[in-house]
């Protein structure tokens, strides 16, 4: 494929968005690589949203100490409806504001093709259709949903030019498409429609007034709205196994009917079922497998899930954070599902 000359050094990753460059960017995304793309709000770090490993590399690149759910971008409302459950409010909003800077948090469809890791294991998904020709062309050419958090390291300011992306994410991206400075310059509004009372989790390009004019009064956002997905058991229904999770399980014998979430080449014997996050000890592979494997092991006929220790470095921090919070749910009084009480072996 013809690849246009890079525009200038040292930004040799930056390409003007010719048809060839867009096709190349889409091919990189389909291969599981990361690409910097412009949107009307800020530049995004784009990855194939259906590819767990590509999504894991987004968390790695951003250096996030925990898995915050990512916004999933679609080429149009119809494509978004294949991933999320839309109600009448959602349809009214997207008719008015898409493509545009409004992200809707909706229930995930049962057959949602998007990586569980991209949604941080939540039962909801954040969807948006960006209002930028380059982003829409990449989405169309990639032919799949794209996870795209702002293309900056966690905790630093969001990028509004291709040069910003090169400066902060240059070593992680295969290329950056230059769509010029972002028209809006602040992130999209995140509106939670997964509860009866809609509320704004993150103010952004579309104002609360504009939303209320269409769907009526909004609820008060919870304190620290952006942190809410980190609070398991609240309205966001953070996914946690329905059976107890036992961390750092090595060294102790398996309990009756216990499953094992393993890590590394030497999982101990004696467990009812073993899933290995990464036999080679690769933390990125482990992150990619985490939520899907937890689901496989979450069976009512198991007494619990033992988890091998995972090194607390790099993505290991985010994995351990998520596992600790999933384990804590089990300690909350009343949080344990009633069916567990039938299993006497659980307390043994
Ligand atoms: O303008 C934007 O939205 C940019 C451009 C690149 O499109 N993208 C962006 O993505 O800001 P990201 O992934 O950095 O934003 C994620 C925000 C966080 O506030 C996160 O908590 C919220 O969306 N979010 C994502 N999924 C969620 C969910 N299922 N429930 C609640 N909040 C969610
Ligand atoms: Mg951000």
């Amino acid at each position: 494929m013809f690849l246009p000359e890079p525009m200038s050094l040292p930004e040799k990753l930056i390409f003007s968005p010719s048809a060839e460059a867009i096709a190349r960017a889409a091919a990189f995304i389909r291969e599981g690589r990361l690409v910097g793309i412009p949107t009307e709000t800020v530049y995004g770090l784009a990855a194939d949203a259906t590819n767990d490993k590509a999504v894991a590399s987004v968390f790695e690149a951003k250096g996030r100490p925990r898995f915050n759910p990512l916004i999933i971008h679609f080429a149009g409302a119809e494509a978004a409806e294949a991933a999320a459950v839309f109600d009448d409010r959602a349809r009214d909003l997207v008719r008015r504001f898409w493509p545009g800077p409004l992200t809707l948090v909706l229930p995930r469809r049962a057959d949602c093709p998007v990586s569980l890791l991209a949604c941080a294991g939540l039962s909801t998904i954040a969807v948006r259709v960006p209002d930028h020709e380059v982003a829409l062309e990449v989405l169309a050419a990639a032919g799949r949903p794209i996870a795209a958090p702002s293309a900056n390291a966690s905790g630093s300011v969001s990028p509004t030019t291709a040069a910003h992306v090169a400066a902060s994410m240059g070593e992680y991206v295969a290329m950056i498409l230059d769509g010029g400075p972002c028209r809006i310059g602040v992130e999209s509004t995140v509106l939670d429609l997964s509860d009866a009372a809609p509320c704004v989790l993150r103010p952004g390009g579309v104002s609360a007034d504009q939303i209320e004019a269409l769907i009526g009064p909004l609820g008060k956002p919870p304190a620290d709205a952006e942190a809410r997905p980190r609070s398991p058991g609240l309205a966001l229904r953070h996914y946690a196994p329905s059976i107890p999770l036992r961390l750092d399980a090595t060294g102790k014998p398996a309990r009756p009917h216990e499953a094992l979430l393993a890590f590394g080449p030497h999982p101990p014997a004696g467990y009812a079922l073993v899933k290995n996050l990464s036999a080679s000890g690769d933390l990125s592979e482990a992150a990619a497998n985490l939520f899907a494997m937890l689901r496989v092991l979450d069976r009512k006929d198991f007494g619990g899930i033992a988890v091998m220790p995972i090194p607390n470095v790099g993505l290991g921090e985010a994995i351990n954070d998520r596992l600790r919070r999933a384990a804590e749910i089990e300690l909350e009084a009343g949080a344990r599902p009633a069916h567990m009480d039938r299993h006497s072996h659980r307390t043994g």
Side-chain angles (χ1 to χ4, degrees), residues 62 64 150 152 158 187:
K62 288 196 56 101
R64 281 185 173 170
S150 51
N152 55 285
S158 291
E187 282 103 334

Side-chain angles (χ1 to χ4, degrees), residues 140-203:
R144 60 196 63 189
I146 287 178
S150 51
N152 55 285
S154 188
S156 61
V157 292
S158 291
T160 53
T161 66
H164 293 165
V165 182
S168 61
M169 287 288 126
E171 61 181 297
Y172 299 102
V173 294
M175 67 187 287
I176 300 163
L177 290 171
D178 189 353
C182 297
R183 181 166 58 81
I184 293 177
V186 297
E187 282 103 334
S188 62
T189 303
V190 178
L191 178 68
D192 186 353
L193 287 179
S194 66
D195 279 335
C199 69
V200 170
L201 298 180
R202 179 179 77 181

